Amino acid sequence: MTPDLRFEILGPTRLVFDGRPHAIRSRNLSVILTTLLVRSGRVVSVEELIGEVWHQPPRRARDAIYVYISKLRDRIGNGAVDSQFPGYTMLVRGQQLDVQLFGRYRADGHLSLANGDHEGAARAWRKALALHRGSLAGGVYSGPILSSFDSWLQQSRTECVELTAWAQLSAGLYHEAIGFLTQQVPRNPLNEILHQQLMLAFFLSRHRAQALRVFASACRTFSDRLGVEPGGDLMKVHDIVRSDDVGRAKRAISSAVASRVSSHRTPVGT
C-alpha cells in the first residue's frame, strides 16, 4: 500500500494522496472500498460485497466484484487488498484511516473527562468532530454493513457534540459553548440536550433573557415538528433560569458530566 495514502470514510469516501483528497467517482467502487475499510482487518465475503452494491444483483455479480477489486488494486496499490476465502480483507495503519484516528480522539476525551480535565476533553472531542464530513454519500448506501456504519457515524457525532458542550460548560467556558452550540442546534433542532446546554451557557454568562428565548424557540420547534411539549429535563433548566438559580445550574452541569464519566468507566474484571 502506498505509504502516503490515507482513507477518509467519516463522510463520503475519498482517497488522500500526499494530503490532496480525491473523490471516487464510481459509486460501486466506492461501496466496495468503504465496506472493506469499515471491516478493516476482517474478511468480507464476496456475497456480502454483492449485498452492499446491489438490491437486486445482476446475473454475473460475482464476476463484476472481481473486476471492481482489480480496479481498486490498480488505484491504491496491488498489495492493499488481500484475497482470503471467502472474499477479501484490507489492513490499514491507524494513521491511514480517519475512523481509527476518530476513535483515539474520542478515547482521549473520555480519559481527560474522567481525570477532571474538562477543557482538555472538549479539545479532544472537537478534534474528533473535525474529522466528520457528513453522512455516507447522501444515503446511497443501502446494504446492511454500510447502513449500520452510517447510523453509528451519525450517533457518534451527536455524542461528541453533546460531550463537547458538557465539557465546555463544566470548564466554565460559557462563551465558547455559546459559539459552539449556536452552530450545532440548527443542525440538530430536535435534540433537547443541546437546547438545555445552550440555555445553561447563556444563563451562566449572564444572558438570562437570551436563555429564555432559546426555550421559547425549542418549544415552537417541538410543537411544530412533533406536536409535543418539551421534556422534563428541558423544563427543569427553564425553571432554573426563571428562578435565577446559578448554584442549581452548576449542579445540573456537574451531575450531567458525572453521569457520562460513570457510563464510560470500564467495569472491574472486564
Side-chain angles (χ1 to χ4, degrees):
M1 192 177 296
T2 308
D4 55 0
L5 170 63
R6 293 187 292 107
F7 304 93
E8 295 183 344
I9 61 174
L10 294 175
T13 298
R14 62 188 188 183
L15 307 174
V16 181
F17 292 100
D18 294 325
R20 296 189 297 273
H22 298 266
I24 301 174
R25 298 187 183 279
S26 165
R27 180 261 179 195
N28 292 354
L29 192 64
S30 179
V31 168
I32 290 170
L33 173 59
T34 308
T35 303
L36 292 172
L37 289 169
V38 167
R39 291 285 185 87
S40 177
R42 291 174 285 174
V43 177
V44 182
S45 71
V46 172
E47 291 303 320
E48 286 177 313
L49 290 174
I50 290 172
E52 294 300 310
V53 175
W54 295 286
H55 281 298
Q56 296 180 322
R59 278 192 309 166
R60 305 193 66 179
R62 295 182 70 88
D63 291 340
I65 293 295
Y66 302 148
V67 171
Y68 283 122
I69 291 292
S70 178
K71 290 180 179 179
L72 187 59
R73 285 169 168 161
D74 289 342
R75 186 83 178 268
I76 64 177
N78 196 42
V81 181
D82 187 29
S83 297
Q84 288 192 29
F85 182 82
Y88 303 93
T89 187
M90 190 169 184
L91 291 173
V92 294
R93 298 189 302 272
Q95 292 295 327
Q96 283 188 296
L97 184 57
D98 59 352
V99 71
Q100 294 179 356
L101 184 58
F102 167 78
R104 285 200 294 275
Y105 286 144
R106 190 181 182 193
D108 288 346
H110 286 300
L111 181 60
S112 294
L113 193 71
N115 290 335
D117 180 9
H118 300 156
E119 194 169 344
R123 283 197 301 270
W125 285 318
R126 289 294 295 267
K127 288 180 181 178
L129 285 170
L131 297 173
H132 280 247
R133 295 175 291 108
S135 62
L136 294 177
V140 299
Y141 302 142
S142 56
I145 294 174
L146 294 187
S147 292
S148 177
F149 178 74
D150 195 37
S151 176
W152 171 84
L153 180 62
Q154 302 313 312
Q155 291 171 7
S156 68
R157 186 189 184 283
T158 298
E159 179 198 46
C160 276
V161 168
E162 293 174 1
L163 288 169
T164 298
W166 284 129
Q168 290 171 333
L169 290 169
S170 191
L173 302 173
Y174 306 132
H175 291 288
E176 187 173 318
I178 289 170
F180 175 69
L181 288 164
T182 298
Q183 293 180 331
Q184 299 301 327
V185 168
R187 300 176 186 174
N188 306 272
L190 300 179
N191 186 320
E192 282 201 21
I193 291 175
L194 301 187
H195 291 286
Q196 295 170 39
Q197 292 170 328
L198 185 54
M199 287 178 67
L200 288 166
F202 273 122
F203 174 60
L204 290 172
S205 62
R206 308 317 296 159
H207 295 286
R208 184 165 171 262
Q210 186 60 45
L212 292 172
R213 282 194 284 272
V214 170
F215 177 77
S217 175
C219 288
R220 286 193 300 272
T221 298
F222 297 134
S223 176
D224 293 345
R225 298 197 182 192
L226 302 177
V228 300
E229 297 294 323
D233 289 338
L234 191 59
M235 293 301 296
K236 288 177 183 177
V237 175
H238 179 245
D239 185 60
I240 289 171
V241 175
R242 287 191 62 189
S243 59
D244 203 19
D245 193 336
V246 172
R248 191 176 164 203
K250 292 183 177 180
R251 288 193 297 273
I253 294 168
S254 296
S255 176
V257 170
S259 70
R260 280 150 181 80
V261 169
S262 177
S263 67
H264 286 89
R265 186 174 290 128
T266 304
V268 175
T270 62

